[in-house]
Amino acid sequence: MSVSDEVPTVPDGATIVGPGTIERLPELVAATAARRVLLVCGRASLEASGAARILPMLEAQASVLRWDEHRPNPSVEDIVAGLSVAHAHRPDVVVGVGGGSTLDTAKLVAALHATDDGTDAARTARTIETHDAGAQRGVGLLLAPTTSGSGAQVTHFATVYVGTAKHSVVGAALLPDRIVLDPALAMSGSAYQRACSGIDALAQAIESLWAVGADEPSRQHAEHAIRLLMPAVVRFSREPDEASAEAMARGSQEAGSAINRSRTTLPHALSYALTQQVGLPHGHAVAHTLPAVLDRHLHASDDSLTGVTPSEHRRTLARLQDALGAADADDAVVRVEAIVTDLGLRDPDRSRHTGIVAGVDVLADSVDPVRLGNNPVRFTPADLRRIILAGVGTARVEPGPS
């Protein structure tokens, strides 16, 4: 694994990209000389995505144990179960095939396997609460995403819940040795699943570009991601074809590479409560506030900025507007809101507007202060409530009194 400017990154050349490349996964396993493989996968996505066709070839290379007993938004209990399975199987390589939750689970099991046998949930919880996965792991790690959204295959962090508390565990040990990026795997999901994963990737790229933690490499990844995703995301959701699938796969990996350096900001910070308390899937939850937060950033006054200078912020927003293909700030908001609407993520029933309105105070109070601090614009509690409610009505949010 390489380290650039102290940010762990996946090595150059580690990703194999293209339709049908999932069939090269057994070859990559064989190259590691692994005798035992733990395959962490989604309960339905392995078959639905078409990735299951590699199982006979994989089983010809090594003793393969398939494990899919984890849930979306993995908890410490899921990680403990995976560690217990890994301890019994003694894998040389962990292979993760699935969406973001599956990849995060595979990453954590691989990283913690050498020091945790899954027999003490309290010990595992304490490790997670240190937020440190370390720099080394004792097993290989290969990842193949089946959705175009999370970018988890290229991030040196993973999300896991201990009770209701969300933790981001960080470390170079969470980065894979190789990635198989097969766009065809993501075409099998429902239109709604593709919409949620696609808007998540676009939000990551937009947030990364303005983030206080951004640097020039992350901004370049983010711009590239936005240019790939903007013309493809709605088409990929409605009628996916090879071209839109490849644009989404490459764009989501670029977005993942961007947030690997910069991290995300307010839309993601608010999304976790919208998922836990209202029941919106992660990408839909991100979409709920994205246009309003974008509007707030694009129209922020100089005295509302934090962590950046006014000139820096203006330069960043000019790059963002250009990447979005927008004529001005208002056009940028209109374009992003149109994508959210065209993806079907504004339907009042599907978007659970009644629950959002009823729970707005709790939702606003749930924001992770670390992610809130990564915004270049200050948000008061009243601002957060307006942002949340804006997704029920219009994207435009007027700044209120402090």
Side-chain angles (χ1 to χ4, degrees):
M1 283 168 248
S2 66
V3 177
S4 176
D5 297 336
E6 300 183 356
V7 177
T9 59
V10 172
D12 292 339
T15 302
I16 299 174
V17 187
T21 49
I22 190 63
E23 294 180 8
R24 293 189 58 188
L25 187 58
E27 167 195 331
L28 298 180
V29 170
T32 70
R35 298 175 63 185
R36 295 174 178 271
V37 173
L38 176 62
L39 174 61
V40 180
C41 56
R43 291 181 182 176
S45 62
L46 193 72
E47 281 78 13
S49 67
R53 69 182 184 272
I54 68 165
L55 280 174
M57 293 180 286
L58 193 59
E59 290 166 345
Q61 301 292 341
S63 172
V64 179
L65 177 62
R66 174 178 172 176
W67 181 67
D68 59 12
E69 297 298 317
H70 61 279
R71 294 161 292 183
N73 304 308
S75 68
V76 64
E77 290 79 14
D78 296 309
I79 306 307
V80 168
L83 289 168
S84 179
V85 168
H87 181 69
H89 187 59
R90 295 179 289 114
D92 305 299
V93 172
V94 174
V95 175
V97 181
S101 292
T102 295
L103 299 190
D104 274 0
T105 301
K107 287 159 64 171
L108 286 162
V109 169
L112 301 182
H113 168 58
T115 58
D116 192 333
D117 61 5
T119 59
D120 186 346
R123 178 181 62 195
T124 306
R126 288 193 297 271
T127 300
I128 289 169
E129 288 166 349
T130 70
H131 303 150
D132 184 8
Q136 304 293 328
R137 49 180 154 71
V139 296
L141 178 61
L142 308 179
L143 299 178
T146 59
T147 62
S148 293
S150 76
Q153 69 272 14
V154 288
T155 58
H156 71 290
F157 41 81
T159 297
V160 59
Y161 284 84
V162 177
T164 60
K166 181 187 69 66
H167 296 273
S168 183
V169 183
V170 180
L174 296 169
L175 288 171
D177 302 306
R178 300 298 298 269
I179 297 167
V180 174
L181 194 63
D182 186 339
L185 299 183
M187 295 174 68
S188 62
S190 68
Y192 179 63
Q193 289 169 329
R194 292 192 297 271
C196 289
S197 62
I199 199 66
D200 186 24
L202 181 60
Q204 287 174 352
I206 291 172
E207 293 175 56
S208 178
L209 197 52
W210 69 46
V212 171
D215 57 14
E216 187 54 30
S218 72
R219 290 191 179 102
Q220 290 179 9
H221 283 301
E223 285 180 292
H224 190 198
I226 293 167
R227 294 182 194 281
L228 285 166
L229 296 168
M230 280 293 288
V233 62
V234 174
R235 180 158 53 102
F236 179 68
S237 173
R238 291 179 173 177
E239 297 181 0
D241 55 21
E242 189 171 298
S244 63
E246 182 151 353
M248 292 302 299
R250 291 180 180 274
S252 65
Q253 180 138 319
E254 284 290 307
S257 296
I259 65 166
N260 185 53
R261 302 184 69 91
S262 69
R263 299 299 189 98
T264 53
T265 64
L266 183 56
H268 273 77
L270 283 167
S271 71
Y272 298 103
L274 284 164
T275 295
Q276 278 206 316
Q277 298 176 32
V278 182
L280 285 183
H282 174 69
H284 195 157
V286 172
H288 180 78
T289 62
L290 178 63
V293 178
L294 172 64
D295 180 81
R296 184 80 164 85
H297 279 78
L298 287 168
H299 294 92
S301 60
D302 289 353
D303 61 3
S304 69
L305 300 179
T306 179
V308 297
T309 66
S311 60
E312 289 171 337
H313 189 60
R314 283 191 287 272
R315 285 195 298 271
T316 296
L317 294 187
R319 292 173 71 166
L320 175 56
Q321 288 174 201
D322 186 61
L324 291 170
D328 54 31
D330 289 339
D331 186 38
V333 178
V334 167
R335 285 171 179 263
V336 172
E337 179 61 47
I339 286 175
V340 173
T341 301
D342 290 346
L343 290 173
L345 303 180
R346 284 294 186 228
D347 174 78
D349 292 332
R350 171 171 273 178
S351 301
R352 309 198 180 202
H353 285 174
T354 300
I356 289 171
V357 172
V360 63
D361 291 336
V362 174
L363 293 168
D365 290 340
S366 70
V367 178
D368 179 351
V370 174
R371 278 195 173 89
L372 191 59
N374 201 25
N375 284 278
V377 178
R378 295 186 188 90
F379 287 88
T380 67
D383 289 331
L384 297 179
R385 287 164 177 76
R386 281 190 289 271
I387 290 288
I388 294 166
L389 293 176
V392 178
T394 175
R396 191 62 192 262
V397 178
E398 299 297 336
S402 301

